[in-house]
Amino acid sequence: MPEAASAQPTRAPIGASEFDRDTAVTPREPGVYDIDLSAGWTIMNAVNGGYLLAVLGRALADALPHSDPFTISAHYLTASRPGPAVVRTETVRTGRTLSTGQASLFQQDEEGREVERIRVLASYGDLDALPDDVRTAAEPPAIPPMGSASVPRTVPPRRRQLRHHRTPDAQARPVDPGMGARTAVGQGEMRAWFGLADGRDPDPFALLLAVDALPPTAFELGLSGWVPTVELTVHVRSRPAPGPLRVSVTTRNLAGGFLEEDAEVWDSENRLVAQSRQLARARL
Amino acid sequence: MPEAASAQPTRAPIGASEFDRDTAVTPREPGVYDIDLSAGWTIMNAVNGGYLLAVLGRALADALPHSDPFTISAHYLTASRPGPAVVRTETVRTGRTLSTGQASLFQQDEEGREVERIRVLASYGDLDALPDDVRTAAEPPAIPPMGSASVPRTVPPRRRQLRHHRTPDAQARPVDPGMGARTAVGQGEMRAWFGLADGRDPDPFALLLAVDALPPTAFELGLSGWVPTVELTVHVRSRPAPGPLRVSVTTRNLAGGFLEEDAEVWDSENRLVAQSRQLARARL
């Protein structure tokens, strides 16, 4: 989608963007990292789950001998708040092709006790070392092209917008300027263009954000309110090419107060670069 | 599918079947369990990943205040062997509706050192406490009915059969007596009836087995050989009704030497009782 790239007047490079600053972890000792969770990625006072996953993903990338998340599974324990946090990692196994690690993010409660917010298990590798073979039956989702009248711009999942687009009334508007090309395509499915507000190109950590950046599909199913994630697993399948991403999120089954959200992320070269599934609770 | 139930001459009750005996864990101390991994669930000398998940799932059901796995994510580190193993669990968080735990399975190597085989993170709850609401767009897979000429019996994922049906030549036979109604329905998809050989009805732990019991979809994609699981996450969505299960496994994207396998499990009352996704390595 080169037209999108050229439409961005300035474009923050990978490593020097808002997303990079807000996910930067500072080593305190081997395997332990400090992070100041930015208030810019909150929804209803809770920090976005995809942003948290990117933070934990960067800590593990530093701690493990491999730098790219291939599969990362997160269990969300308590709601994170903006502010200081510490990430403690453990190297579980190192191998030639894959390494496995564990990481937890902690914050202090009002009495100064450490409370665990989220715990992940992940296997890392080197995306650039993978062979080029692709055999796929998957096709990119149909989304109106960026630049069309109903699609004013790429999705900026930042600050006000991210805080906003999770609110229940978001679904009332067929095109939300804060959501770019978000289109409801029937019960339980959402599709959107996704890009960082400062034009930074996607990398594997931005994919961890992208899978959880759309409004809950539960809104399309007629539910409203908070849909907390219980567990979220992301598979990064390829390093994304520069340019905007397309994201589709589908819920097929809401039952017993729980629903799954399946996300697929496609890059500008029409490759399926990430798949995710989360189990979320619906407050009925 | 009552005809299947009546066709079973004897039917082991839940708790007293081969599957229950082979997944029984013995508490050694609080949170630590001994298990003798049965040789009956091996494929090419490696113990089946779904069987291992059921073992870890039972240990966590004992260790946590809730007894039903809602979501369980497993990272497979080294190949398990039949024989003694120890499961060490950690209670991560306990809540009113959900509890989260971690568990690892270890075996000793030839020098007597403990080697970690598999690590899981899981959130448990009470399936019977969930409300009855269902809003679903998911439909059971089409499979020829059991009892038809091409479908001799339910799937017995045990001993010889399980060892057999992962071998590369399994795909050559459109109907494998060891696989029941396994039918290839096009590239990258498998469907089968699934039941335990001794007629034991399914429970949530049998679902953990069911999602990984079919031959790899990679065989349908023209690959052969071992397709080791890197990570497997299962969501148990409902307690299965008595009677045989239907399982569909789909692979849409093989790229860079990795593929996903998405499994859905349906019970005899046409409910989607489990969803799973695994990331596996294809030896090209």
Side-chain angles (χ1 to χ4, degrees), chain A residues 71 75 77 90 93 102 119 123 131 133 135-137 221 231 235 237 252-256 258 260 264, chain B residues 71 75 77 90 93 102 119 123 131 133 135-137 221 231 235 237 252-254 256 258 260 264:
Chain A
T71 168
H75 285 246
L77 307 169
E90 174 195 351
R93 177 181 173 272
Q102 177 172 319
R119 186 179 292 208
S123 291
D133 67 297
R135 303 184 207 181
T136 189
L221 294 167
E231 177 264 332
H235 296 177
R237 304 297 303 273
R252 294 171 62 224
N253 193 59
L254 164 65
F258 288 82
E260 92 283 358
E264 291 187 349
Chain B
T71 168
H75 286 247
L77 306 170
E90 174 195 350
R93 177 182 174 270
Q102 177 172 319
R119 185 179 292 206
S123 291
D133 68 294
R135 303 183 208 182
T136 189
L221 294 168
E231 178 263 333
H235 295 176
R237 304 298 304 274
R252 294 170 63 225
N253 193 60
L254 165 63
F258 289 82
E260 91 284 1
E264 291 187 349

Side-chain angles (χ1 to χ4, degrees), chain A residues 70-78 90-93 96-98 100 102 116 119-123 130-139 187 221-223 230-231 233-237 251-260 262-264 266 272 275-279 281 284, chain B residues 70-78 90-93 96-98 100 102 116 119-123 130-139 187 221-223 230-231 233-237 251-260 262-264 266 272 275-279 281 284:
Chain A
F70 276 31
T71 168
I72 180 165
S73 302
H75 285 246
Y76 293 80
L77 307 169
T78 56
E90 174 195 351
T91 299
V92 177
R93 177 181 173 272
R96 190 177 54 86
T97 310
L98 292 173
T100 301
Q102 177 172 319
E116 189 169 355
R119 186 179 292 208
V120 305
L121 270 180
S123 291
L130 299 182
D132 286 336
D133 67 297
V134 175
R135 303 184 207 181
T136 189
E139 294 188 8
Q187 265 208 337
L221 294 167
L223 305 179
V230 176
E231 177 264 332
T233 296
V234 185
H235 296 177
V236 175
R237 304 297 303 273
T251 294
R252 294 171 62 224
N253 193 59
L254 164 65
F258 288 82
L259 67 157
E260 92 283 358
D262 285 358
E264 291 187 349
W266 299 80
L272 179 58
Q275 292 170 298
S276 78
R277 174 173 290 159
Q278 68 172 268
L279 185 69
R281 285 173 74 171
L284 300 172
Chain B
F70 277 31
T71 168
I72 181 164
S73 302
H75 286 247
Y76 293 80
L77 306 170
T78 55
E90 174 195 350
T91 299
V92 177
R93 177 182 174 270
R96 190 176 54 83
T97 309
L98 292 173
T100 302
Q102 177 172 319
E116 189 168 355
R119 185 179 292 206
V120 305
L121 271 179
S123 291
L130 299 182
D132 287 335
D133 68 294
V134 176
R135 303 183 208 182
T136 189
E139 294 188 9
Q187 264 209 338
L221 294 168
L223 305 180
V230 176
E231 178 263 333
T233 295
V234 185
H235 295 176
V236 175
R237 304 298 304 274
T251 294
R252 294 170 63 225
N253 193 60
L254 165 63
F258 289 82
L259 67 157
E260 91 284 1
D262 286 358
E264 291 187 349
W266 300 80
L272 179 58
Q275 292 169 297
S276 77
R277 174 173 291 159
Q278 68 172 267
L279 185 69
R281 283 172 75 172
L284 299 174

Side-chain angles (χ1 to χ4, degrees), chain A residues 174-268:
Chain A
V175 175
D176 175 335
M179 278 306 298
R182 182 173 73 81
T183 52
V185 290
Q187 265 208 337
E189 184 170 354
M190 293 240 182
R191 300 173 185 175
W193 292 97
F194 179 92
L196 290 166
D198 57 10
R200 175 199 188 272
D201 280 319
D203 68 352
F205 303 110
L207 297 179
L208 304 184
L209 175 68
V211 299
D212 195 41
L214 270 61
T217 50
F219 296 168
E220 301 297 322
L221 294 167
L223 305 179
S224 61
W226 183 229
V227 186
T229 302
V230 176
E231 177 264 332
L232 168 61
T233 296
V234 185
H235 296 177
V236 175
R237 304 297 303 273
S238 186
R239 186 177 304 283
L245 302 167
R246 282 156 291 176
V247 183
S248 74
V249 184
T250 309
T251 294
R252 294 171 62 224
N253 193 59
L254 164 65
F258 288 82
L259 67 157
E260 92 283 358
E261 287 193 11
D262 285 358
E264 291 187 349
V265 185
W266 299 80
D267 73 0
S268 63

Side-chain angles (χ1 to χ4, degrees), chain A residues 113-179:
Chain A
R113 289 172 303 211
E114 273 199 349
V115 179
E116 189 169 355
R117 300 300 193 201
I118 171 175
R119 186 179 292 208
V120 305
L121 270 180
S123 291
Y124 276 56
D126 179 358
L127 287 171
D128 298 325
L130 299 182
D132 286 336
D133 67 297
V134 175
R135 303 184 207 181
T136 189
E139 294 188 8
I143 310 182
M146 291 202 301
S148 70
S150 63
V151 184
R153 53 193 175 111
T154 57
V155 183
R158 53 172 294 193
R159 307 200 184 282
R160 188 175 49 79
Q161 287 86 352
L162 190 65
R163 190 177 295 122
H164 165 78
H165 76 230
R166 283 270 190 165
T167 60
D169 66 310
Q171 68 157 338
R173 279 166 291 174
V175 175
D176 175 335
M179 278 306 298

